[in-house]
Amino acid sequence: MSAATKLQADTPSLEIIGHMNEGYETILSEGALAFVADLESRFGTRRKALMQARMERQKRFDAGELPDFLPETKAIREDNWKILGTPDDLQDRRVEITGPVDRKMMINAFNSGANVFMTDFEDASAPVWENMIDGQINLYDYARGQLAFTDPKSGKDYAMGEKTAVLKVRPRGWHMTEAHAMLNGEAVSASLFDFGLYIYHSAQELLKRGTGPYFYLPKMESHKEAALWDDVFTFTEKELGLKHGTIKVTVLIETITAAFEMDEILFALKDHIVGLNCGRWDYIFSYIKRIGKNPDYLLPDRAQVTMGSAFLKAYSLLLIRTCHRRGAHAMGGMAAQIPVKGDEAANKAAFEKVRADKDREASFGHDGTWVAHPALVPVAKEVFDRLMPHQNQIHRTRLDIEISQKDLLEPHEGERTEAGLRENIRVGIQYIAAWLQGRGAVPLYNLMEDAATAEISRTQIWQQLKLKATLSDGRTVTDHLVRDLYDDEMKKLTKSLGQDLVEDSRLADAGRLFLDLVFKHELEEFLTTPAYELIK
């Protein structure tokens, strides 16, 4: 059954055109919808202008301009200022686990032993209407101490433990809209929709429990986008009767342009921010997207673009230096490995890779790290417990580090291979197929992948085609070669899955979309935009 909700005449009119399943009326209440409508009315036009500014900036990059530190904000970078402060329950963030807004997975993450759990409306959740509203119901129940689940298949009960992780919520990015919520005939900002519903229903309940409304903010490209969020927070606190500075956020630095504006982003949000995070997979995607037409920045196979060298190492070190100078947490990146059942040798090798990665992060000066699976919590925790005996290491200012524009743009060295090209095709289409079916966190080849992996996969092939890249065996990457490899990979997947399952799994739809994206003349900003048209 479809239902439309209309607000009273003296408020902006918000129309819900999604299905109203049982319990949805609690989340999509008149007051909550009025609040979201108010947010959209006040801030929606500015959001659209900032998205247009991204496109104008891209034209300059395509013409040869490179990202750089902004001369007009030099004073902010050089002044000695600090963020407002960090709540007690966010002082120790040595291990953070992330995952979708699925009820059972949320409970497992809360009980994982991690310090913080980031539940994700963005890259780890496909934005199917039911996923988004069911996720809001889960948050509503969590804030009231009533999050529990009984698996209808197994009959197993899942309940919150005595000591659970602190919750942070990641709304969708500024570029996304929620097609099922309309204001004056236009889809509203998905960021404001996710944020607005959650904080309207749960801020006071969270504060009663001794915590607060804490968020992760994704995919920003400039301090002006951060300033928009700050204005949203200040308005929200006033509107909901919250003390100024109650809302606390960590910003993911997952775009190349944001890396040059880390000081400015912290400054724009200084009363609300507690840290920055290395969103490294999206960062690689952004690097290709923004400067990928320039042959000087052609990357090797994805597996060779690692955090220990070139632009990724520089960005990690600069993030630590910038955050610690301002009194903020500098969070490390994701360990995506997941256990392999019945294969101890594979697990041992995977866990050693995780340990080495976390050792690098803790040694550099990061205050914590991300994992995608509960089994990795103790692995990451052991490293940070050993190398970081205090709650954090903000005292390590790393003023010994100097990072230049050249350092932040230095491409990784390595080769491009047929195997790397095949992996991008194979992983890209399987992830998109799962996303079209409503799953955002997808186990593939012993890694928990989200949308960022598919973004790297399709942009790497797009860049190689655009620049006529050469593989290590001397062949040039052409449309013909990509189609041949794609056909072969689809045959292999069809053989392993079976023809019926291929059709049921939307693999064919995903394949068509993937090819569409890699052969486009101009790179599509986000694959989730055209993919959303196939699910909404």
Side-chain angles (χ1 to χ4, degrees), residues 298-301 304 414-421 464 468-477 481:
L298 178 63
L299 294 182
D301 283 355
Q304 297 173 51
E415 57 181 8
R416 286 165 293 281
T417 66
E418 179 183 311
L421 197 50
Q464 291 169 3
K468 298 180 172 56
T470 304
L471 298 180
S472 56
D473 60 13
R475 285 179 294 167
T476 300
V477 179
L481 175 62

Side-chain angles (χ1 to χ4, degrees), residues 143-163:
R144 288 155 181 80
Q146 55 196 40
L147 185 64
F149 178 71
T150 300
D151 192 318
K153 291 180 180 176
S154 67
K156 184 179 177 182
D157 292 324
Y158 294 80
M160 297 285 279
E162 214 169 288
K163 181 172 168 46

Side-chain angles (χ1 to χ4, degrees), residues 337-348:
Q337 289 82 356
I338 52 179
V340 186
K341 285 183 181 177
D343 193 337
E344 285 307 309
N347 283 334
K348 186 178 179 184

Side-chain angles (χ1 to χ4, degrees), residues 14-34:
L14 195 70
E15 184 183 8
I16 297 298
I17 57 174
H19 290 283
M20 289 295 287
N21 297 336
E22 185 182 349
Y24 282 20
E25 70 282 351
T26 301
I27 298 302
L28 302 170
S29 66
E30 186 172 301
L33 292 177

Side-chain angles (χ1 to χ4, degrees), residues 281-301:
W281 308 126
D282 271 296
Y283 194 79
I284 298 168
F285 160 49
S286 172
Y287 182 96
I288 301 169
K289 179 165 66 172
R290 292 295 172 237
I291 58 174
K293 286 185 178 178
N294 189 323
D296 292 339
Y297 302 102
L298 178 63
L299 294 182
D301 283 355

Side-chain angles (χ1 to χ4, degrees), residues 115 136 150 160 189 212 214 258 296 304 316 334 346 361 436 476:
N115 303 74
Q136 290 286 349
T150 300
M160 297 285 279
S189 160
Y214 305 148
D296 292 339
Q304 297 173 51
S316 169
M334 171 67 80
E361 289 180 331
L436 293 175
T476 300

